Amino acid sequence: MARLIDGKAVAQAVRQEVARDVAAYTATTGRVPGLATVLVGEDPASEVYVRNKVAACREAGMESFHEPMAVDSTQEQVEAMVDRLNADDRVDGILVQSPLPKGLDFKRVLERIDPAKDVDGFHPLNMGRLVAGRPTLVACTPAGVMELLRRAETPLEGAEAVVVGRSDIVGKPVALLLLHESATVTVCHSRTRDLPAVTRRADILIAAVGRPRMITGDMVKPGATVIDVGINRTDDGLVGDVDFEPVAKVAGAITPVPGGVGPMTIAMLMRNTLTAAAARRPGKDG
Ligand code: NAP
């Protein structure tokens, strides 16, 4: 039976470390790092996500500035809000909650965010830095996946890593981060021929697809480390992209859903906010 990689526990440890580092940063600089959250409309799931981010901020000793906007806000109004937050010196990180209501262009909003305050790591400049191997602010979920692998002491150098999914927010950045750690990386997607043959090669298998339980036991190499990024709401509740029970019988280590990658995303957002603050205004010790 696979060893369980406990994302909840790792996330809690990261959040405690960030709180300690925030206290040290504030003692040295006299500044409190601040995160602004922008929520357009009243989508209930997004409201919960934003509320959790605001609470995590306060718990870490950081300031939070929440900016709710009407569902019928125009592109210009949302971009004007981003401009205002870019100019606000108390704000170190800006997070625009997705999805935006229909008719609004999320990519254009993202490009408006000052890259130094882009704690989601989605701005093209930060994506480019990641490609070039000089990452500063890395997207929170991919960064969380890497933190889990690190803390589970998974050997990455020379390992066969297979990422299923090639989205800009998960699959691609995870693949690049693994490549920078000298794994041999294969990225799969909906047009991949014979997916099971590819996933069976993986020492490290990352599932970021959005299809409930699609990675089955016969797709996994015995002893592999399996990281399940998927969050799917089904009649059985929240399930991942990995068919947990049968895969856990084959794998060497595995993340559960919930309680795996999910909690890491907020923890890494907190860390990114502190990183952004420290880069904008370093303390005496740099
Ligand atoms: P996405 O943008 O929908 O991308 C899904 C990817 O999976 C695409 O690249 C797609 O291929 C590929 N795919 C779809 N069907 C496939 C199949 N049958 N075989 C192989 N590949 C297939 O999704 P995402 O935003 O990356 O999110 C992926 C999952 O992670 C979702 O469940 C999401 O809820 C979850 N998620 C979790 C967190 C967290 O905090 N834990 C954060 C973000 C996302 P094509 O490119 O060819 O279409």
Side-chain angles (χ1 to χ4, degrees):
M1 196 69 179
R3 180 164 56 96
L4 202 68
I5 301 176
D6 184 349
K8 234 169 123 179
V10 175
Q12 193 51 35
V14 171
R15 283 166 67 161
Q16 277 167 4
E17 285 166 20
V18 173
R20 187 198 58 204
D21 295 347
V22 166
Y25 174 77
T26 300
T28 328
T29 61
R31 288 193 77 245
V32 179
L35 174 68
T37 48
V38 179
L39 176 62
V40 187
E42 291 170 358
D43 175 62
S46 294
E47 279 181 341
V48 173
Y49 288 142
V50 169
R51 210 177 310 134
N52 289 342
K53 288 167 187 173
V54 168
C57 239
R58 304 223 163 112
E59 186 198 287
M62 301 197 270
E63 262 195 273
S64 83
F65 307 94
H66 181 48
E67 301 289 354
M69 297 186 74
V71 68
D72 58 357
S73 301
T74 61
Q75 184 77 26
E76 289 66 32
Q77 285 168 328
V78 178
E79 290 183 21
M81 171 64 79
V82 169
D83 289 345
R84 187 168 77 60
L85 296 171
N86 281 340
D88 187 336
D89 199 40
R90 299 166 306 162
V91 172
D92 295 297
I94 301 171
L95 183 141
V96 178
Q97 185 65 46
S98 69
L100 289 179
K102 267 208 175 75
L104 295 179
D105 184 339
F106 187 50
K107 285 200 170 164
R108 256 178 60 199
V109 173
L110 288 181
E111 292 189 14
R112 194 86 177 196
I113 295 175
D114 177 350
K117 297 189 177 188
D118 169 39
V119 283
D120 250 342
F122 294 155
H123 190 284
L125 188 82
N126 286 319
M127 295 282 270
R129 281 192 182 132
L130 175 60
V131 173
R134 296 189 297 119
T136 44
L137 295 170
V138 175
C140 302
T141 301
V145 168
M146 297 307 290
E147 190 72 28
L148 285 177
L149 289 172
R150 230 181 330 267
R151 301 219 183 198
E153 297 181 355
T154 314
L156 300 178
E157 197 178 313
E160 286 273 355
V162 174
V163 181
V164 190
R166 58 172 165 180
S167 73
D168 289 347
I169 63 166
V170 190
K172 271 184 216 162
V174 164
L176 286 163
L177 290 166
L178 286 163
L179 186 62
H180 295 325
E181 294 296 332
S182 297
T184 301
V185 184
T186 307
V187 184
C188 301
H189 45 78
S190 65
R191 262 37 84 70
T192 295
R193 233 183 292 143
D194 199 355
L195 183 65
V198 183
T199 57
R200 271 198 294 271
R201 290 207 314 256
D203 302 310
I204 299 159
L205 179 59
I206 315 286
V209 189
R211 289 180 175 249
R213 302 190 181 106
M214 78 160 276
I215 305 291
T216 47
D218 60 326
M219 295 170 76
V220 175
K221 176 177 173 177
T225 296
V226 180
I227 306 287
D228 189 353
V229 184
I231 298 179
N232 306 291
R233 284 166 224 286
T234 70
D235 293 342
D236 307 339
L238 219 58
V239 303
D241 291 342
V242 173
D243 196 6
F244 185 84
E245 299 295 337
V247 170
K249 287 197 177 105
V250 184
I254 188 169
T255 58
V257 175
V261 176
M264 291 303 293
T265 300
I266 286 193
M268 301 317 283
L269 174 67
M270 297 303 112
R271 181 175 282 170
N272 273 356
T273 305
L274 175 60
T275 302
R280 291 182 62 239
R281 205 86 64 83
K284 288 193 193 81
D285 52 3

